[in-house]
Amino acid sequence: RFVGRVAKVQAIGNRLLKNQMSSTYITGQKRIGKTSLAQAVLRYVIAHAPAPITFETFYLEWGAYCAADAAGTVKALGEELHAFLRPHLPKGVELPAPVFDGSLAPLNTIARLLETSRPDKRFVIVLDEFDEIHPEMYRHGPLAEAFFANLRTLGARKNLAFILVGGEKMPFIIGAQGDQLNKFGREPLDYFSRSDEWTDYVELITGPVKDGLNWEE
């Protein structure tokens, strides 16, 4: 179960519930609850989607698309995302098989078609352990520039958004490619704050045993 972090969930979730969705990256130490926060956001937007909008969500760990080299990783990621988006196109729509040769650009075509043919659908993609990507994918170079330009373009679409989740290495990625992610909202995650999240902390401790123990402040 996920307890607390109400303000964080709402802050990220409300960015996705807007008519023009906006992407986010979550950063913080290991074992602080970043993945749980991202998954709670997915549940939040599904539960609060205004009719007739429905949300389709996709969660990917690093191990689901990592490859021995950076180009292979981009290719695997592109194929995973295409497999997620393609079934939502109306029947009868035919597209040539995409080729992800060091770029996610072919996904723009399917995202654009979905925007016009399925205006009732919103797509949210979580890329967990994002700071584990190969250095060649974010350090300055042709592949890194193409990859982050692709993320920026896709994340700027009305019907598609990303939640990037990363730990201690995330500042290096932001340092190298921050200009491309300047439209992504930043959501740092830390330990519970006594001043701002005391109620959430109390619920975390007392909630699971509220029927068995009595508590005093």
Side-chain angles (χ1 to χ4, degrees):
R1 296 187 305 144
F2 187 80
V3 175
R5 306 294 195 187
V6 174
K8 296 282 187 185
V9 172
Q10 291 179 347
I12 302 171
N14 289 340
R15 292 175 197 148
L16 299 171
L17 291 172
K18 292 179 179 178
N19 189 46
Q20 176 67 55
M21 294 198 301
S22 59
S23 299
T24 300
Y25 65 88
I26 301 171
T27 182
Q29 300 177 27
K30 290 183 182 295
R31 310 263 64 86
I32 201 73
K34 301 183 298 296
T35 298
S36 297
L37 174 61
Q39 292 173 339
V41 169
L42 298 184
R43 293 192 295 270
Y44 177 84
V45 296
I46 290 171
H48 292 83
I53 299 298
T54 58
F55 277 84
E56 302 293 339
T57 64
F58 190 44
Y59 172 83
L60 267 181
E61 291 181 334
W62 163 242
Y65 62 92
C66 69
D69 57 25
T73 298
V74 173
K75 179 176 183 293
L77 177 59
E79 290 170 349
E80 288 279 358
L81 297 183
H82 181 265
F84 162 59
L85 296 171
R86 179 66 181 85
H88 297 287
L89 286 172
K91 292 182 179 179
V93 175
E94 297 295 334
L95 289 174
V99 178
F100 299 101
D101 186 12
S103 171
L104 300 178
L107 293 175
N108 280 313
T109 300
I110 192 170
R112 186 166 54 249
L113 283 172
L114 285 167
E115 190 171 332
T116 56
S117 64
R118 299 302 306 269
D120 58 324
K121 292 281 189 182
R122 298 287 186 273
F123 303 92
V124 182
I125 298 161
V126 177
L127 299 182
D128 203 353
E129 303 167 316
F130 187 74
D131 61 327
E132 297 296 331
I133 62 174
H134 294 282
E136 304 95 289
M137 293 175 68
Y138 62 85
R139 289 178 180 164
H140 296 293
L143 188 142
E145 298 299 332
F147 176 61
F148 275 87
N150 296 153
L151 287 182
R152 178 187 175 92
T153 299
L154 289 168
R157 301 206 69 86
K158 180 180 178 180
N159 61 333
L160 192 150
F162 290 95
I163 299 176
L164 309 179
V165 181
E168 287 89 344
K169 300 176 186 175
M170 204 66 176
F172 297 103
I173 295 176
I174 302 305
Q177 296 292 340
D179 288 347
Q180 296 287 11
L181 296 181
N182 63 355
K183 292 185 178 180
F184 281 55
R186 176 179 179 266
E187 205 62 54
L189 195 63
D190 205 337
Y191 295 103
F192 279 105
S193 164
R194 180 180 289 272
S195 60
D196 299 329
E197 298 175 302
W198 178 251
T199 302
D200 289 350
Y201 175 72
V202 170
E203 173 63 18
L204 177 67
I205 300 301
T206 65
V209 291
K210 62 184 178 182
D211 297 325
L213 292 176
N214 296 318
W215 294 88
E216 291 191 24
E217 289 294 326

